[in-house]
Amino acid sequence: MRQGTVLGLYCSALIGENLQTPIIQKHWCNDVSIQRASLIVVPAFAKYLRSVPSLHEAEPVWSAPQDTVCIHIQRGELVYLGIVSQEVPALEVLELLEGVVLALVEYIGHLSELTIKENFATVYQLLSEMVDSGSAVTTDTSVLRGLVPVPSLVDRVIENVSGIGIRTEKRPDVNTSSTPWRSQGIRHTNNEFFVDIVERIDATVGADGSVVSYDVSGDISCKSRLTGMPELLLVMNRADAMDDVAFHPCVRTSKWHAERVMGFVPPDGQFKLASFHIATDAAPRLLPLQLRAAVSRQSDQSHTIEISADAGQSGNKLVEKIQVRVPLPAQAYNIRVQCKAGTHAVSNVRLPQVEWSLKSLSPADRGARLTIQYQVRAPSAAGTGAPQLSPSPGSSQSALAAFVDFEVAGYSVSSIKVDSLKMLVESYKLFKGVRYVTKAGSFQLRF
Amino acid sequence: NMHTDDLEIKKLIYLYLINYAKTQPDLVILAVNTFVKDAEDTNPLIRALAIRTMGCLHVQEVLDHLSDPLRKCLKDPSPYVRKTAVMCVAKVYDLSPTTAEENGFVEDVRRALSDSNPMVISNAVTVLTEINEMAPGQNVWRLDAKSVPTLLAAVNECVEWGQIAILEALADYTPKTEKEAESICERLLPRLQHANGSVVLTTVRLLLNYEKYVHRADLLSQFTKKMVPPLITLLSSEPEIQYVALRNINIILQRHPKLLSKEIRVFFCKYNDPIYVKYEKLDVLVRICSERNTEPLLNELKEYAREVDVDFVRRAIQAIGRLAIRYESSADKAVKVLIELLQLKVNSVVQDVVVVLRDVFRRYPRNFADVVPTLCEHIDYVNEPDAKAALIWILGEYSEHISNISNLLGTCIESFLEEEDEGVQLALVNSAVKFFLKRPQQGQALVLKALQTATEKCANPDVRDRAYIYWRLLSADPNAARTVALVEMPPVELESANLSAPLLEELVAELGSVASVLQKPSRLFVYKKADKAGVPRDSEMAYTGLDDAEGGAVSAGDNGTTGGIDTSNEGEPELLISF
């Protein structure tokens, strides 16, 4: 009673800033539904987007007229929309759109209306390789690179960014071997393999420094420049602490389950080998940065926020690139900021906001402090019969949270390390490198 | 002129032709020769391109020229060409099922299920499910036990999209034996560790569907345990993916309520989550909260109630009420939190808190007499009809605990006629009567005034009738009035926020799909399906609405002691019982 993907599944992928005039669209369905899609559904969807208070509040899966469903994502300044007229896994569509975005980024760099228009030919070719008659075929860029040539101007950029030598033979090759991510006959003069372990701490910290929620996830990214068809074995020290591991298709999952070892034939260039999640009960809740906040109100109109930052547990490493962003209520004015260390800036693009940057903080340093004072415009007198109440319901008069960013190089908060990296099959000398970094993911301080 | 050797230009010309064919189908036939020639090219890329383009043209005339090259390409040495050719069969079938059958293309695709290349296999699965969909009821293809092992082998090797197609097919397959079901599940467990969220969710769907075939308790609990970490991981992806994951988690939790109870903190809202994610998280939070972790959750909900979005704040406050009603041990803390929120003096918060407090008070009568005076301090801020009615109900119920009650009720009755809401007026009449019955001396003037106004000046027949009945009851037999008005109320029960059982079954079976996100079965919104199935589209199944806690806390177990007074006022069930 249910099917995977059908003709005219993602009837149109419209990539548009202004949805009424999509920059690009591609249909995989018969004529009638194309007309429906472009004439009725897309304007209806655009109308829906305009009807929500802000773009980001539009539900990603929206039941559209004409018995279709609009599934969209928003990345950068563009909206990517898939229209579905059949029952499909919603995540498949989302992941596909995501994959399209990633592939386009890899091909043409920064995505905007302009760059997409400049590279129409490439974009169209990519879309027709990625989706055939409404079913996703592949979004893997290493496969796509074999099918669609990278636009020549960008060749060099990609080579610089991802470190891949673009093979000289002009004719794209078709690789359908059992290792579709790696083609035959790759050569490098220097054989190198780099592993980057990036961990992110997602946390919400209460004003008193207590941890409200805490979560660590990480990626193992690799950069491979290896000759031939090497087989690698990567052994981690605390494989069991990795609670949920998602692998690149190259990793042999059976081996992982049996021996907790990652065995794989790596793709060439930059790729994400695995992403993992640390079981919450397996890790102590270490915070490299200890934050506290105190909010006080001198009067109804005048507020003060004090934020203090001290070095926390970071394995004696320097906490770097600290940034604290405090959005203030829309009615705030007369904003005064003082800080003992670092620099601060007040911006007022849509909402007033204070940014505080600290280059680094080491355990030896004294804690840093930031004080923000601001006033709120007196509420307009049009109360609804209850004089002392905040008039417009919900318009909160005080700032509620700060967003924090930081980075600790050479530190792994979960204490996961690479034990060893071995190469089988090929027998040349190989240069190995491992780096660790812990970053703030979605890290918030509540007031 | 389509003769060009440059592949890129060729591709663009073909793309143009596909668009051209939509407006000028007759002229496209002129290009057919080039296609046929290209389908014999030495470069597999060009062979595949030609086949694919011919299929995409969607023109009847091209079909006759397509058959021969397609047959050849289905047996092409290059797997890339084979998998493209397999996809092309679906397009042919869409245009003309007979052509596809007569030329044996469908049979060829069935044979492709045992191809050596996993990508060809997965495409074959995709095409066969598509064909099934196009020809409902004909059962062109049924996954049989013979193909299952090949699919299981292929699923580990093909790309993510192919995996989804195979997993989808397997999820709808009915295993022949329990053993087979067990081994399929075990073979597919590693799929839960895929970076693609859709692979993960489809695997979860398969495991849930297979629960009815697998009976070994240890295996079942192992399966459910394995589902947890990947579901949690989905929550650290992009908000759009989080949203779909949360909607589905909401459904899974109705099947396995205990599944995530340890992970409650993962669902705490971030300040900058999009609002649609916040709503879903709130739903999940209330759902998975157990008696042990009510305290942290209540503190968390209090934070949410300070946020900007009015709707979100309201839902957070209602969630506090739901927790209080569900777990008696948490009620004290919940009421404390609610009173604290009251003191924020934000207009909308006050209204919502009062309504929720009424429900909590009803659930635990007499427990919270001491907070009522605090509540009364905020009486001037209450201005929405719902909140007013709730507050007046509380006044009537706790009249003996409030020192200046005559003043408070008096002022309310002064403005009786200014109230436009029937609910508020009814509540006033009821409370005045209750007050009178509890303290006859103080209440006499008040109740007379209330009943007089209600019977003589009120335009609403329901209110008038209610007042008349009270009046007669009071003058005829005050004791009878007492039994009617001051009767013990049946305890409030939590209205279930669950989907109806058949709908839940249907949605679990379609987990991860658009249906599960919209939480209505696909036949109601998918155009073709509804027509084919002949189901009336506006069937009643449409919304078994998920939890709109509005009044949700009350409403159950009502019609206990209405004393023969029937109002057709379903929106305010609490009034019925509050005599």
Side-chain angles (χ1 to χ4, degrees), chain A residues 139-176:
Chain A
T139 47
D140 188 338
T141 40
S142 55
V143 177
L144 288 172
R145 231 178 280 127
L147 300 169
V148 181
V150 179
S152 49
L153 233 175
V154 187
D155 279 6
R156 255 168 298 148
V157 180
I158 289 208
E159 196 163 352
N160 290 338
V161 170
S162 64
I164 306 158
I166 292 187
R167 269 147 278 130
T168 38
E169 77 264 50
K170 260 279 158 273
R171 170 180 274 200
D173 66 326
V174 191
N175 174 11
T176 40

Side-chain angles (χ1 to χ4, degrees), chain A residues 60 91 94-95 98, chain B residues 197 234 237-246:
Chain A
L91 270 187
L94 286 175
E95 295 272 10
E98 186 85 50
Chain B
L234 284 182
S237 17
E238 302 290 337
E240 290 94 349
I241 291 175
Q242 277 186 49
Y243 172 73
V244 174
L246 283 164

Side-chain angles (χ1 to χ4, degrees), chain B residues 121-167:
Chain B
I121 298 180
S122 70
N123 273 8
V125 172
T126 310
V127 167
L128 288 170
T129 19
E130 264 178 38
I131 290 179
N132 264 347
E133 190 54 33
M134 282 185 258
Q138 290 184 23
N139 259 329
V140 180
W141 176 64
R142 250 200 125 85
L143 181 56
D144 52 19
K146 261 198 304 192
S147 327
V148 171
T150 24
L151 292 194
L152 286 176
V155 83
N156 288 326
E157 287 173 36
C158 58
V159 295
E160 48 207 314
W161 314 108
Q163 294 188 6
I164 298 171
I166 295 179
L167 286 168

Side-chain angles (χ1 to χ4, degrees), chain B residues 1-6 9-10 13 33-35 37-38:
Chain B
N1 181 6
M2 296 169 38
H3 296 284
T4 169
D5 290 329
D6 188 301
I9 292 178
K10 197 184 263 302
I13 293 176
N33 276 332
T34 322
F35 286 130
K37 206 174 112 240
D38 278 352

Side-chain angles (χ1 to χ4, degrees), chain B residues 355-372:
Chain B
V355 174
V356 168
L357 273 176
R358 185 229 14 234
D359 295 342
V360 177
F361 288 174
R362 269 208 51 196
R363 173 73 178 78
Y364 309 108
R366 285 181 298 274
N367 274 10
F368 296 106
D370 49 327
V371 297
V372 174

Side-chain angles (χ1 to χ4, degrees), chain B residues 5-68:
Chain B
D5 290 329
D6 188 301
L7 187 62
E8 197 175 344
I9 292 178
K10 197 184 263 302
K11 275 186 188 169
L12 293 175
I13 293 176
Y14 281 10
L15 272 173
Y16 169 72
L17 274 173
I18 294 174
N19 277 315
Y20 192 63
K22 286 169 196 160
T23 47
Q24 302 279 339
D26 312 337
L27 295 179
V28 168
I29 199 78
L30 300 175
V32 144
N33 276 332
T34 322
F35 286 130
V36 175
K37 206 174 112 240
D38 278 352
E40 310 253 325
D41 198 279
T42 49
N43 184 343
L45 219 53
I46 293 182
R47 292 203 295 276
L49 182 65
I51 281 293
R52 185 169 68 209
T53 313
M54 279 168 100
C56 288
L57 289 176
H58 222 269
V59 176
Q60 191 75 43
E61 287 78 27
V62 176
L63 212 58
D64 311 329
H65 303 269
L66 178 59
S67 300
D68 288 327

